C-alpha cells in the first residue's frame, strides 16, 4: 500500500478566508487537534504576514511533536529567514516557498521575464535549504503556466535542494483530466523529479477541488494539500475529510492508498474549526454536514433499517459522527454519568474541568427536558470559549414587541469590574450589540449573522455565528444558549474578545 501525505493548510490558506482569522490560542488548539487527527504536515501560517502569525507558527513549532510544522514564505530573503526561524524549534520543520510561474502573473504581478523568475526561484531555494532541510516549492498558478517553463523551474529548484514540489491550481481553474495530464507530464519531463515528492494544492472555484486532488493522486502525486471543512481563499481549498474518505471508501477505484488520518477525529475537528472560525458547515456538506447521514424519505428510512448499506456508503461512526437523536442525559443525571458520556463522545477532561461543565450542564438540564450529544458538544465549545474571555456577559434584559422600540440593558464584566449600559436598536439583538458597543467603547458593524438549532425541539440550544467589522478587521464569533438573545451576545463577545486579545 502506498502512503498519501496529508498536508493540512487550515491554519494558513484556510485562515486566509475573509473573517476566518483565529487568535494564537485557537491556532494552537486547532494544531493539537490536527495532530490528534494524524495529519503529516501542519502549515501553521505565513510568518512574515504579522508578528502574531510569526508567534503562532513559532509556538506551534515548539509544542507539536508528531506532525511536521511548516511556515510559508515568498521567494524573498526576509520571508524565508523569518519562516525558517519560526519553524526552527519544530521536531520536523519545513519551509514552503512559492513563486508564480504563469505568464499572466509574470507580466502583471512581477513584470519580469522567465529567466529572471528562474534565478529568483533558484536563489530562494538555495537560501531556504541553508536554513532548513525540508523545503517545499510551489510554482504558484502552475495549472495556467507554460509547461516548458515549469519543467525548468521544477528541475532547477530540485537541484537546489527542494524536497517536495507542490503543484497549485491557484485559481481553481482546472478539471480532473487536465490535472492528471499535468502531473503525468511533469513526471515524464522533469529529469530529476524522482528526487522529490509531488504534491497537489487545489482551490474550489469551480467545485472541482476534491476531484482534481484525487486525479493528481492517480497520476502520481503523493502529497495532498487540504483544509478542514474546505475553508480557504475565495471558494476554499480541497477538503481534507472528502479526500481522505474518498480514498478510504473507494479503495476499489483509487487503489491501495492509505493515509495516517484517524478518521474518527474528523467530525470533532470539523466542529472545532467551524466554531473557532465562525464558518458554519452547510448541512449538505459532504462527509461532515449534519444531513450527511440523515435519511428523510420514508423509502430510504425503511431500506436503511433493513440494511444500512442501501443508502449509506460510509459508516457515520467512522468519522466520529455522533447522531443527534440520542437522548443521553437529563436533569437527574450525576457528575459521573456526564463524565463518562463526555469520554464516550471523545472528550478527555480533568476532574476540575468536568466540574465546570457539570454546572453548565445542570443549568441546561433545568431548561431542557432532553440533553443530546450535540448539546453536550455545544456546552464544551462554549466552555472553551469562556476560557478566552476578556469581556464576559453578566446579564442582559431586553424589552421588545411588535409595537415598541426594542430596548436592551446589558451588564458586562471586564477585569473584575461590572458595568451596565442601555440602548435601543432596530431589533432586540441590535439593541444588545449597541449597548455592549457603548460599554466596551468600540464601534462595530454586524456583517453576517446565522442562527441554527443544535438539536431538535422548541427548547433546543441555539448556536449563533456572526461576523462583525471593527475598524478594518472582520472578526467572527460563535455563541450558544437555549436563549437566542444570550447566544447572540455571547457570539458578539466571542468576536470582540478575539479583537481585544
Ligand atoms: O493557492 C496557491 O497557489 C497557494 C500557494 C501559496 C501554494 O496557496
Ligand atoms: Zn492556495
Amino acid at each position: 500500500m502506498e502512503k498519501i501525505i496529508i498536508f493540512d493548510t487550515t491554519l494558513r490558506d484556510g485562515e486566509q478566508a475573509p473573517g476566518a482569522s483565529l487568535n494564537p490560542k485557537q491556532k494552537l488548539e486547532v494544531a493539537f487537534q490536527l495532530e490528534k487527527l494524524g495529519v503529516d504536515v501542519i502549515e501553521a501560517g505565513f510568518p512574515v504576514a504579522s508578528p502574531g502569525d510569526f508567534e503562532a507558527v513559532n509556538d506551534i513549532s515548539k509544542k507539536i511533536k508528531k506532525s511536521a510544522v511548516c511556515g510559508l514564505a515568498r521567494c524573498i530573503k526576509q520571508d524565508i529567514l523569518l519562516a525558517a526561524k519560526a519553524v526552527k524549534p519544530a521536531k520536523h520543520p519545513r519551509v514552503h516557498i512559492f513563486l508564480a510561474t504563469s505568464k499572466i502573473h509574470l507580466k502583471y504581478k512581477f513584470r519580469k521575464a522567465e529567466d529572471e523568475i528562474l534565478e529568483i526561484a533558484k536563489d530562494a531555494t538555495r537560501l531556504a535549504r541553508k536554513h532548513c532541510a525540508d523545503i517545499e516549492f510551489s510554482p504558484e498558478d502552475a495549472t495556467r503556466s507554460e509547461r516548458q517553463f515549469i519543467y525548468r523551474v521544477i528541475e532547477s529548484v530540485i537541484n537546489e535542494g527542494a524536497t517536495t514540489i507542490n503543484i497549485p491550481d491557484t485559481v481553481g481553474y482546472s478539471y480532473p483530466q487536465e490535472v492528471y495530464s499535468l502531473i503525468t507530464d511533469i513526471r515524464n519531463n522533469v529529469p530529476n523529479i524522482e528526487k522529490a515528492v509531488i504534491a497537489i494544492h487545489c482551490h474550489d472555484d469551480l467545485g472541482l477541488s476534491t476531484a482534481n486532488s484525487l486525479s493528481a493522486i492517480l497520476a502520481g502525486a503523493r502529497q495532498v494539500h487540504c483544509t478542514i471543512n474546505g475553508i480557504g481563499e475565495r471558494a476554499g481549498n480541497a477538503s481534507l475529510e472528502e479526500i481522505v474518505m474518498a480514498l478510504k471508501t473507494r479503495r476499489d477505484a483509487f487503489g491501495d492508498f492509505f493515509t495516517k488520518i484517524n478518521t474518527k477525529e474528523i467530525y470533532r475537528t470539523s466542529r472545532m474549526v467551524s466554531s473557532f472560525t465562525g464558518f458554519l458547515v452547510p448541512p449538505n456538506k459532504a462527509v461532515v454536514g449534519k444531513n450527511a447521514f440523515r435519511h428523510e424519505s420514508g423509502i430510504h428510512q425503511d431500506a436503511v433499517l433493513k440494511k444500512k448499506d442501501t443508502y449509506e456508503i460510509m459508516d457515520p461512526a467512522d468519522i466520529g459522527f455522533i447522531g443527534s437523536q440520542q437522548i443521553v442525559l437529563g436533569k437527574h443525571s450525576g457528575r459521573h454519568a456526564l463524565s463518562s458520556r463526555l469520554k464516550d463522545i471523545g472528550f478527555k477532561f480533568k476532574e476540575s474541568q468536568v466540574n465546570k461543565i457539570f454546572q453548565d450542564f445542570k443549568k441546561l438540564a433545568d431548561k431542557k427536558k432532553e440533553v443530546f450529544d450535540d448539546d453536550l458538544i455545544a456546552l464544551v465549545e462554549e466552555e472553551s470559549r469562556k476560557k478566552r474571555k476578556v469581556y464576559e456577559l453578566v446579564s442582559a434584559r431586553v424589552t421588545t414587541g411588535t409595537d415598541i422600540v426594542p430596548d436592551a440593558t446589558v451588564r458586562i464584566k471586564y477585569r473584575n469590574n461590572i458595568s451596565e449600559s442601555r440602548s435601543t436598536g432596530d431589533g432586540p439583538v441590535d439593541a444588545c450589540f449597541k449597548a455592549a458597543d457603548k460599554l466596551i467603547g468600540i464601534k462595530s458593524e454586524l456583517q453576517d449573522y446565522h442562527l441554527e438549532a443544535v438539536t431538535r425541539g422548541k427548547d433546543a440550544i441555539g448556536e449563533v455565528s456572526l461576523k462583525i467589522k471593527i475598524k478594518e478587521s472582520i472578526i467572527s464569533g460563535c455563541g450558544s444558549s437555549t436563549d437566542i438573545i444570550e447566544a447572540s451576545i455571547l457570539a458578539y463577545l466571542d468576536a470582540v474578545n478575539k479583537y481585544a486579545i
Side-chain angles (χ1 to χ4, degrees):
M1 286 190 48
E2 267 198 85
K3 181 178 168 185
I4 301 298
I5 301 164
I6 300 294
F7 180 108
D8 181 279
T9 182
T10 306
L11 294 174
R12 199 278 298 169
D13 219 331
E15 212 230 357
Q16 267 171 238
S21 65
L22 303 170
N23 65 39
K25 271 193 199 154
Q26 290 175 320
K27 284 192 182 171
L28 186 62
E29 253 184 84
V30 172
F32 279 132
Q33 181 57 31
L34 290 172
E35 188 175 47
K36 205 163 160 199
L37 178 66
V39 310
D40 298 284
V41 188
I42 297 172
E43 187 164 52
F46 191 8
V48 82
S50 69
D53 234 34
F54 175 88
E55 286 308 324
V57 178
N58 194 239
D59 199 31
I60 290 170
S61 300
K62 288 177 190 153
K63 294 177 179 144
I64 291 293
K65 297 294 169 226
K66 289 193 210 128
S67 314
V69 182
C70 177
L72 181 70
R74 289 168 298 180
C75 283
I76 295 175
K77 187 174 175 187
Q78 193 205 359
D79 281 39
I80 296 169
L81 296 182
L82 264 184
K85 190 172 166 195
V87 297
K88 198 164 186 206
K91 196 138 186 253
H92 311 285
R94 179 180 290 193
V95 171
H96 174 196
I97 51 177
F98 72 101
L99 185 65
T101 47
S102 62
K103 274 214 160 102
I104 186 168
H105 280 241
L106 261 60
K107 185 170 173 194
Y108 295 102
K109 199 165 91 176
F110 296 134
R111 297 203 175 94
K112 285 196 192 306
E114 286 186 349
D115 284 347
E116 289 173 275
I117 292 292
L118 185 67
E119 284 314 308
I120 295 172
K122 280 162 54 178
D123 292 347
T125 312
R126 199 176 314 124
L127 175 68
R129 187 59 202 252
K130 259 197 216 157
H131 295 273
C132 184
D134 188 356
I135 302 299
E136 176 156 343
F137 181 90
S138 290
E140 191 192 3
D141 207 14
T143 52
R144 294 194 301 171
S145 301
E146 297 290 307
R147 286 283 208 275
Q148 296 306 323
F149 183 50
I150 40 171
Y151 298 156
R152 278 171 71 206
V153 171
I154 294 172
E155 184 182 356
S156 305
V157 296
I158 294 177
N159 282 337
E160 296 296 345
T163 39
T164 300
I165 298 297
N166 176 44
I167 304 301
D169 184 25
T170 303
V171 288
Y173 184 70
S174 284
Y175 62 93
Q177 285 86 343
E178 231 171 11
V179 173
Y180 188 95
S181 12
L182 174 58
I183 302 292
T184 308
D185 290 349
I186 289 171
R187 291 183 73 198
N188 291 335
N189 291 286
V190 176
N192 54 1
I193 194 68
E194 293 305 325
K195 291 191 185 154
V197 172
I198 301 178
I200 184 76
H201 175 110
C202 295
H203 279 271
D204 209 34
D205 300 66
L206 293 173
L208 292 168
S209 59
T210 299
N212 284 339
S213 306
L214 293 167
S215 193
I217 290 172
L218 289 175
R222 290 295 172 263
Q223 177 181 284
V224 64
H225 282 215
C226 44
T227 62
I228 302 296
N229 300 335
I231 62 167
E233 281 273 0
R234 307 181 308 279
N237 287 61
S239 112
L240 179 146
E241 59 277 10
E242 291 174 17
I243 295 169
V244 168
M245 290 315 287
L247 289 175
K248 189 169 177 186
T249 311
R250 294 306 311 276
R251 194 160 282 155
D252 61 319
F254 294 113
D256 271 345
F257 296 119
F258 74 97
T259 69
K260 263 182 40 211
I261 295 298
N262 174 5
T263 59
K264 290 202 162 52
E265 291 293 331
I266 285 180
Y267 190 63
R268 183 124 37 94
T269 317
S270 160
R271 290 279 318 199
M272 179 188 270
V273 169
S274 166
S275 148
F276 284 3
T277 56
F279 280 35
L280 289 183
V281 176
N284 61 328
K285 164 82 178 65
V287 185
V288 288
K290 278 201 174 134
N291 290 350
F293 298 103
R294 278 192 187 148
H295 307 280
E296 199 60 37
S297 121
I299 300 170
H300 290 206
Q301 285 173 350
D302 176 59
V304 167
L305 286 173
K306 288 175 181 148
K307 177 122 178 103
K308 271 184 149 202
D309 306 18
T310 48
Y311 286 100
E312 264 180 20
I313 59 162
M314 293 171 265
D315 181 354
D318 226 18
I319 61 147
F321 183 86
I322 306 135
S324 61
Q325 305 305 325
Q326 198 184 359
I327 300 166
V328 290
L329 301 164
K331 74 183 202 184
H332 300 296
S333 308
R335 209 172 304 249
H336 185 82
L338 174 71
S339 153
S340 99
R341 188 63 205 159
L342 286 170
K343 214 189 250 161
D344 285 349
I345 56 177
F347 293 108
K348 282 189 200 114
F349 288 121
K350 292 189 205 124
E351 213 181 306
S352 57
Q353 290 170 304
V354 174
N355 287 344
K356 275 198 176 151
I357 297 167
F358 185 66
Q359 288 168 15
D360 291 341
F361 162 74
K362 278 288 178 190
K363 281 187 212 152
L364 177 67
D366 263 345
K367 292 184 199 158
K368 253 183 134 254
K369 279 201 297 290
E370 302 167 330
V371 179
F372 300 99
D373 280 335
D374 279 346
D375 293 321
L376 286 186
I377 295 174
L379 265 193
V380 169
E381 285 171 355
E382 196 52 58
E383 191 56 44
S384 107
R385 283 192 285 268
K386 268 190 205 163
K387 276 195 249 156
R388 301 188 296 272
K389 275 187 179 161
V390 180
Y391 294 99
E392 201 174 326
L393 176 66
V394 178
S395 65
R397 230 175 306 126
V398 191
T399 335
T400 190
T402 48
D403 52 357
I404 55 166
V405 179
D407 187 330
T409 305
V410 175
R411 301 177 80 208
I412 287 174
K413 188 163 149 190
Y414 176 68
R415 295 193 176 142
N416 288 329
N417 291 321
I418 296 177
S419 330
E420 183 176 293
S421 173
R422 188 175 164 190
S423 176
T424 53
D426 287 339
V429 171
D430 184 51
C432 289
F433 289 1
K434 283 201 172 117
D437 272 359
K438 263 199 221 166
L439 224 156
I440 296 167
I442 51 166
K443 209 167 161 8
S444 73
E445 190 189 307
L446 185 64
Q447 300 250 310
D448 205 1
Y449 177 93
H450 285 280
L451 169 66
E452 196 179 83
V454 171
T455 49
R456 68 199 155 95
K458 275 193 240 147
D459 56 1
I461 287 188
E463 191 170 65
V464 169
S465 72
L466 51 71
K467 288 196 183 78
I468 56 173
K469 190 170 176 194
I470 306 175
K471 292 187 182 153
E472 284 316 303
S473 313
I474 295 172
I475 316 132
S476 60
C478 263
S480 56
S481 165
T482 48
D483 179 329
I484 57 172
I485 299 292
E486 186 179 354
S488 304
I489 308 173
L490 289 173
Y492 162 91
L493 288 178
D494 184 41
V496 170
N497 283 335
K498 279 188 201 165
Y499 182 78
I501 287 170

Tab-separated table of all heavy atoms in Angstrom, residues 9 12-13 16 43 140 166 168-171 201-203 225 232-234 236-237, ligand 2:
chain	number	residue	atom	x	y	z
A	9	THR	N	-3.554	22.738	5.474
A	9	THR	CA	-3.274	24.177	5.440
A	9	THR	C	-4.434	25.013	6.003
A	9	THR	O	-4.600	26.179	5.673
A	9	THR	CB	-2.798	24.621	4.020
A	9	THR	OG1	-2.485	26.014	4.040
A	9	THR	CG2	-3.820	24.326	2.937
A	12	ARG	N	-3.279	28.179	7.487
A	12	ARG	CA	-2.661	29.161	6.590
A	12	ARG	C	-3.639	29.551	5.477
A	12	ARG	O	-4.284	30.574	5.560
A	12	ARG	CB	-1.340	28.585	6.037
A	12	ARG	CG	-0.411	29.644	5.499
A	12	ARG	CD	-0.723	30.079	4.089
A	12	ARG	NE	-0.620	29.003	3.111
A	12	ARG	CZ	-1.052	29.129	1.862
A	12	ARG	NH1	-1.611	30.248	1.439
A	12	ARG	NH2	-0.961	28.110	1.015
A	13	ASP	N	-3.854	28.688	4.481
A	13	ASP	CA	-4.775	29.064	3.397
A	13	ASP	C	-6.198	29.173	3.956
A	13	ASP	O	-6.960	30.072	3.585
A	13	ASP	CB	-4.728	28.012	2.272
A	13	ASP	CG	-4.804	28.641	0.886
A	13	ASP	OD1	-5.409	29.703	0.773
A	13	ASP	OD2	-4.268	28.066	-0.075
A	16	GLN	N	-6.787	32.328	5.643
A	16	GLN	CA	-6.797	33.473	4.725
A	16	GLN	C	-8.215	33.824	4.273
A	16	GLN	O	-8.435	34.881	3.706
A	16	GLN	CB	-5.955	33.141	3.487
A	16	GLN	CG	-4.512	33.582	3.607
A	16	GLN	CD	-3.646	33.049	2.469
A	16	GLN	OE1	-2.672	32.365	2.708
A	16	GLN	NE2	-4.008	33.331	1.239
A	43	GLU	N	0.584	23.193	7.996
A	43	GLU	CA	1.075	24.504	7.562
A	43	GLU	C	0.467	25.509	8.537
A	43	GLU	O	-0.736	25.785	8.507
A	43	GLU	CB	0.680	24.831	6.123
A	43	GLU	CG	1.341	26.122	5.649
A	43	GLU	CD	1.315	26.311	4.135
A	43	GLU	OE1	0.232	26.205	3.526
A	43	GLU	OE2	2.390	26.557	3.551
A	140	GLU	N	3.480	28.908	-8.138
A	140	GLU	CA	2.091	29.374	-7.988
A	140	GLU	C	1.424	29.502	-9.362
A	140	GLU	O	2.069	29.858	-10.340
A	140	GLU	CB	2.087	30.736	-7.274
A	140	GLU	CG	0.707	31.178	-6.839
A	140	GLU	CD	0.668	32.643	-6.406
A	140	GLU	OE1	1.694	33.334	-6.501
A	140	GLU	OE2	-0.408	33.090	-5.985
A	166	ASN	N	5.171	21.223	-5.047
A	166	ASN	CA	3.707	21.317	-4.960
A	166	ASN	C	3.160	21.991	-6.215
A	166	ASN	O	3.695	22.995	-6.675
A	166	ASN	CB	3.353	22.140	-3.707
A	166	ASN	CG	1.869	22.367	-3.596
A	166	ASN	OD1	1.078	21.450	-3.806
A	166	ASN	ND2	1.472	23.586	-3.281
A	168	PRO	N	0.155	23.968	-7.520
A	168	PRO	CA	-1.099	24.616	-7.141
A	168	PRO	C	-2.009	24.931	-8.334
A	168	PRO	O	-1.551	25.421	-9.363
A	168	PRO	CB	-0.655	25.935	-6.485
A	168	PRO	CG	0.830	25.907	-6.431
A	168	PRO	CD	1.282	24.914	-7.464
A	169	ASP	N	-3.288	24.620	-8.139
A	169	ASP	CA	-4.318	25.119	-9.063
A	169	ASP	C	-4.874	26.351	-8.339
A	169	ASP	O	-5.970	26.335	-7.785
A	169	ASP	CB	-5.399	24.048	-9.279
A	169	ASP	CG	-6.434	24.487	-10.310
A	169	ASP	OD1	-6.096	25.334	-11.166
A	169	ASP	OD2	-7.589	24.010	-10.251
A	170	THR	N	-4.065	27.394	-8.355
A	170	THR	CA	-4.284	28.577	-7.506
A	170	THR	C	-5.666	29.195	-7.662
A	170	THR	O	-6.260	29.653	-6.691
A	170	THR	CB	-3.183	29.619	-7.827
A	170	THR	OG1	-1.926	28.981	-7.607
A	170	THR	CG2	-3.295	30.853	-6.972
A	171	VAL	N	-6.169	29.233	-8.890
A	171	VAL	CA	-7.454	29.910	-9.097
A	171	VAL	C	-8.599	28.912	-9.338
A	171	VAL	O	-9.672	29.302	-9.797
A	171	VAL	CB	-7.358	30.938	-10.251
A	171	VAL	CG1	-6.544	32.135	-9.813
A	171	VAL	CG2	-6.758	30.314	-11.504
A	201	HIS	N	-2.289	21.049	-4.818
A	201	HIS	CA	-2.944	22.069	-3.983
A	201	HIS	C	-4.074	22.664	-4.816
A	201	HIS	O	-3.824	23.417	-5.761
A	201	HIS	CB	-1.896	23.130	-3.629
A	201	HIS	CG	-2.410	24.318	-2.876
A	201	HIS	ND1	-2.097	24.547	-1.557
A	201	HIS	CD2	-3.184	25.367	-3.250
A	201	HIS	CE1	-2.664	25.665	-1.143
A	201	HIS	NE2	-3.322	26.201	-2.169
A	202	CYS	N	-5.316	22.292	-4.508
A	202	CYS	CA	-6.424	22.719	-5.374
A	202	CYS	C	-7.391	23.661	-4.665
A	202	CYS	O	-7.719	23.469	-3.497
A	202	CYS	CB	-7.203	21.497	-5.857
A	202	CYS	SG	-6.202	20.457	-6.917
A	203	HIS	N	-7.863	24.638	-5.428
A	203	HIS	CA	-8.917	25.539	-4.928
A	203	HIS	C	-10.243	25.165	-5.586
A	203	HIS	O	-10.287	24.505	-6.613
A	203	HIS	CB	-8.521	26.992	-5.177
A	203	HIS	CG	-7.567	27.489	-4.129
A	203	HIS	ND1	-7.997	28.063	-2.965
A	203	HIS	CD2	-6.211	27.428	-4.057
A	203	HIS	CE1	-6.938	28.365	-2.207
A	203	HIS	NE2	-5.839	27.987	-2.853
A	225	HIS	N	-2.584	18.785	-0.461
A	225	HIS	CA	-2.868	19.936	0.409
A	225	HIS	C	-4.379	20.009	0.614
A	225	HIS	O	-5.143	19.882	-0.356
A	225	HIS	CB	-2.449	21.236	-0.277
A	225	HIS	CG	-0.982	21.514	-0.235
A	225	HIS	ND1	-0.481	22.780	-0.132
A	225	HIS	CD2	0.096	20.685	-0.281
A	225	HIS	CE1	0.847	22.736	-0.115
A	225	HIS	NE2	1.219	21.474	-0.222
A	232	GLY	N	-10.906	28.283	2.942
A	232	GLY	CA	-9.714	28.820	2.278
A	232	GLY	C	-10.066	30.013	1.431
A	232	GLY	O	-11.233	30.442	1.382
A	233	GLU	N	-9.070	30.539	0.751
A	233	GLU	CA	-9.260	31.701	-0.128
A	233	GLU	C	-10.484	31.510	-1.031
A	233	GLU	O	-10.703	30.430	-1.563
A	233	GLU	CB	-8.038	31.856	-1.042
A	233	GLU	CG	-6.846	32.499	-0.410
A	233	GLU	CD	-6.863	34.031	-0.504
A	233	GLU	OE1	-7.823	34.611	-1.073
A	233	GLU	OE2	-5.942	34.637	-0.004
A	234	ARG	N	-11.227	32.536	-1.216
A	234	ARG	CA	-12.415	32.571	-2.092
A	234	ARG	C	-13.357	31.379	-1.818
A	234	ARG	O	-13.911	31.272	-0.737
A	234	ARG	CB	-11.995	32.603	-3.579
A	234	ARG	CG	-11.017	33.705	-3.939
A	234	ARG	CD	-10.675	33.678	-5.411
A	234	ARG	NE	-10.249	32.354	-5.844
A	234	ARG	CZ	-9.024	31.879	-5.675
A	234	ARG	NH1	-8.075	32.639	-5.150
A	234	ARG	NH2	-8.725	30.661	-6.052
A	236	GLY	N	-12.578	28.445	-1.329
A	236	GLY	CA	-11.951	27.491	-0.416
A	236	GLY	C	-10.976	26.544	-1.086
A	236	GLY	O	-10.731	26.592	-2.296
A	237	ASN	N	-10.429	25.649	-0.244
A	237	ASN	CA	-9.450	24.643	-0.695
A	237	ASN	C	-10.128	23.283	-0.742
A	237	ASN	O	-11.242	23.112	-0.249
A	237	ASN	CB	-8.296	24.576	0.304
A	237	ASN	CG	-7.376	25.781	0.235
A	237	ASN	OD1	-7.798	26.905	0.450
A	237	ASN	ND2	-6.126	25.546	-0.073
B	2	LIG	ZN1	-3.923	28.246	-2.042
